[in-house]
Each structure stands twice: as C-alpha cells, then as structure tokens.
Amino acid sequence: MSERAFIRYQGVEKAFGEHAVLRGVDLEVKEGETVVVLGGSGTGKSVLLKHTIGLLRPDAGQVWVEDEEVCSLGERGLSEIRKKVAMVFQAGALFDSMTVFENVAYALREHTDMSESEVGERVTEVLAQVEMPGVEELMPVELSGGMRKRVALARALALKPRALLYDEPTTGLDPLTGHAINTLIRNLQKSLKVTSIVVTHDILSARMIADRIAWLRDGRMAFVGTLAEAASSGHEELRRFLETGGGIGESRRP
Amino acid sequence: MSGVLKQALDDLGGLGYLAWDTVRYSVSRPFGFGLLVEQLFQIGVMSLSITSIVALFTGLVISVQTIYSLSSYGGQLFIGDLVALSLVRELGPVLTSLMVAGRVGAGITAELGSMTVTEQVDAIRALGANPIKKLVVPRVLATVIMLPLLVVLADIIGIFGGMVAVAAELGQSPDFYLRRVLGALSIADVASGLIKSAVFAVIIALIACHRGLTVTGGAAGVGAATTRTVVSASISILISDFFITKFLLWALV
C-alpha cells in the first residue's frame, strides 16, 4: 500500500432540495487500500460513492481521483475516470435486456478495439475471477441475488480498473452468500491490489475487508481509522454501532 | 399554483436540454446502428396492427357519417374527396400519433423509468457510456422515422375502409371512389400530414424519454410517470396540431 491518496474527498456537500445529505465530507483513500464507509441507512453513503465518478455533482467541495478533480471534468475526462474507477451497484444494476455475456462485455466493446474473440476470452476470465463460470448465455432475471452481485462485479472488473466502488455489496443477501461475497472481495483485493471503497452497514463485512473504516454521521466523517482504533475511541455511538451490527444508526435517526 | 408553474417550467427546461443533447449525440460517432434497428422494430413494426385497426374503422366511420350528412344535399359524389382530405390532412396523423403516444410513449417511459430506478442508467454512465446516446437517440430517431410511415399506411387503410363503406351503403363503384380520392389530394395535403406526424413523433419520444429518465420513487413512480407521459403527449399533440395546421396552411398553400 502506498501513502499516496488515490481518491480524495474535500469538503463535499450535497443537498437534495431542502434535505442536506452531505455537509462537508473529507476523506482520503490511499492507493491499494480498502476503506469501508459505515453509517445508518439514508446517511448518504451511496450518494458519496456516486460523487467519486461524477454520477452526482457536489454543491460544494471537490473530489479528486489521483491528480484530477472530477467535478471540473467534461464528458471525455469523466469517461477516462470511469475506466479507472469502476462501480458495483447495490442490486447489481445489470442491463436486463442483455445476457450476462453482453453485460460483462459492455465496457470492453465501448472502450477497446478488442476483437470478438478477445472480448470473449476476457469475459470468461473475469467470470472465472468472480467464481461464476459458464453463465454467459443466461439473462439477469435468471440469476439469484448473490449471482447478480458477482456478475455485476465481473462487469466492473472487465476493464481492469484501478479502483472499485462497492455500494452495499452484501445487502439483501443471506448470511452465507454475504460471507461468500466478502471473501470474494477480499481475495480480489489481494490478487488485483485494487483500491476499494465499500459502502455498507454490514459490520461483518467491515471486519472482513476493511483496512480502515470511515463512519458517516450527520453528513460528515465522524471517525476515520482502523477497527481497533474505533473500538477504543471515544465515540460511544460508533462503538455501539459496531457491537450491535449496525441497527443503532437507523433507530437513532429523528 | 406557483409550484405547478415551477414544475411546468422545470419540465420544459429539461425537455429543451434533452432535445439539444439528442441532436448533438445523434450526429456524433459511433452511430449506434444496431440499437436503432431494434427500436425501429419495437416502435414501428410492433405498432402496425393497432394503427391499422384504428385507421380501418376511422375510414369506415367517416364514410358512413359523410354519406349520412351529404345525402340530403345530393353530395354523394364527393364522399371520396371528403374521406381522403380529412384522413390525409388530419385524422390519419392525429389518430395514429395518439395511438403511438399510448403504446410507444408509455412503453418508453416504463422501460427507461425501470432502468432509472434500478440504477441501470447510472450503470451505463459508470461504464463510461452515454445514456442519451444509448437510450434516447435510437428511440427518438426510430419514432421520427416510423411514425410518418405508419401514417401513410393508416391513410391508405382508412381510404380503403371508406371505399368498402361507400360500396356497401351506396353501391358506388370503387373505381369512381378512388378517382375522386386521387383527384382531391394534392402533394401539399400529403406533405402536411407527414410533416405533422414527424413533429408529433418528436413530441412523443422526447416527452416519454424525459419522463422515464427523471423517474423517482420506485415502481409507483414508474407507473405515475407512464400515465403522465400518455396524458401530456396526447394533449401536446392536439394543441400543437392546431398551430402546425395554421402554419402549414400559411406556408404550403
């Protein structure tokens, strides 16, 4: 892990109408590191993630990927960022009018000059990486929730991104499937050395994959550090959040 | 009241932006030919049966009504003229467009709306592609290409329906009826119907795409947006029809 920040949020603010979601988020994610962003439902974790690749634009503040400021980029620049930083959406967001193969091949066909056979090889390769061989011809509706997340991960991996953003990778899965996804994420971290930001309220997930955790509370990062630091920190609410497995943040919301 | 006005202005602004982006991306490379062909099929070919049925019965009913109203003046000879002019200038384009607003407009909003709420539209962007180019451009182009063709077909079927009615009710020969039809129609009449339907196509497709891409609120939101698409597209067609008609009468005649 290098000390250089790969992704950096600086005073990011975002409101939807009257409702201020992010009120000045600061966070640095170093190259090769995995940061798990924790927080209750509706605290703006996914919103923060979407700012990273310009799917949302902040009302104030800046988002940096390496040495580029994302909000200042035009369409072409954003496209370059999105090749470097891939996102895995909450429910997979697979294109349901396309087969698994076409889903995974989408970015390859969009951004590379690969021949169809090269595309086919790469699709087979990433599907094997997420332990889903031989599903190329299935439609997304034929897949279970866990399989969908794996295929979504394969689609994100296709272009060999340097960073991955996971939006609630284990939400809606049974504990065993969730555990399998966490294991997969950890193995990919080790083998591919990608920088990762994982948004979740699943404490087990955080324990398995986090180098550091960031705790989003009231639109700001209330705590950033390792799990051990979090356990010994003075943040009473964060400690309870970690102990109970994530219910507290939700029930304490007004 | 000010809320309604603000909403209406927001919608108009959003439509304007979308229209501009659609023009921009429809001329930029690479041209998504495969996506266009798929939409030509979905929007055009799949609308054939519904527009044909509507056109056939419209032709039949105008014919029957005209026979009824003109007979007392001894005007039966002119039924072909009247059926042809009202169909080609007005009813063909407007009724076909209303049917397409219902079938295609609702379909586009429902599809793009579900893609929006399931983050598939965000996924397109996250994969470095452009949703306007991938989703909106093929749908708008396909509607603009197919709706005028559907209207031509509707005109022909409607005139045929009129012929059947006249033959059955009055025993007028198809030969005579068709000569009246062809004598009555000018190039300007046909052109005006086609220009109208092309404008209606833009209205339907843009409203439908805009509503689909701006859906919020899950499945219920998709349902509400779909209803609003059909309502606002239909009203826009009828209102703009008046102004386009006035303009074309001034420009073409």
Side-chain angles (χ1 to χ4, degrees), chain B residues 112-137:
Chain B
L112 299 197
S114 332
M115 289 185 74
T116 303
V117 298
T118 55
E119 295 188 308
Q120 291 179 53
V121 176
D122 274 342
I124 293 181
R125 297 167 68 205
L127 290 166
N130 185 301
I132 308 280
K133 184 146 186 82
K134 295 286 172 189
L135 301 173
V136 178
V137 168

Side-chain angles (χ1 to χ4, degrees), chain A residues 50 53-55 75 79 82 87 89-90 93-96 106-107 110-111 155 167, chain B residues 24-25 30 38 111 115 118-130 134:
Chain A
K50 286 185 179 175
I53 49 173
L55 295 180
E75 188 155 353
S79 181
R82 289 162 182 172
M87 178 150 174
F89 288 87
Q90 186 171 344
L94 298 176
F95 304 129
D96 39 35
Y106 197 91
E110 197 65 28
H111 297 294
R155 183 174 71 179
D167 190 2
Chain B
R24 233 160 31 108
Y25 289 114
E38 190 188 320
E111 187 184 5
M115 289 185 74
T118 55
E119 295 188 308
Q120 291 179 53
V121 176
D122 274 342
I124 293 181
R125 297 167 68 205
L127 290 166
N130 185 301
K134 295 286 172 189

Side-chain angles (χ1 to χ4, degrees), chain A residues 122-139:
Chain A
R122 180 71 188 141
V123 171
T124 314
E125 188 184 346
V126 284
L127 282 174
Q129 269 175 350
V130 299
E131 297 153 22
M132 286 278 289
V135 294
E136 283 90 339
E137 295 315 313
L138 296 181
M139 298 302 283

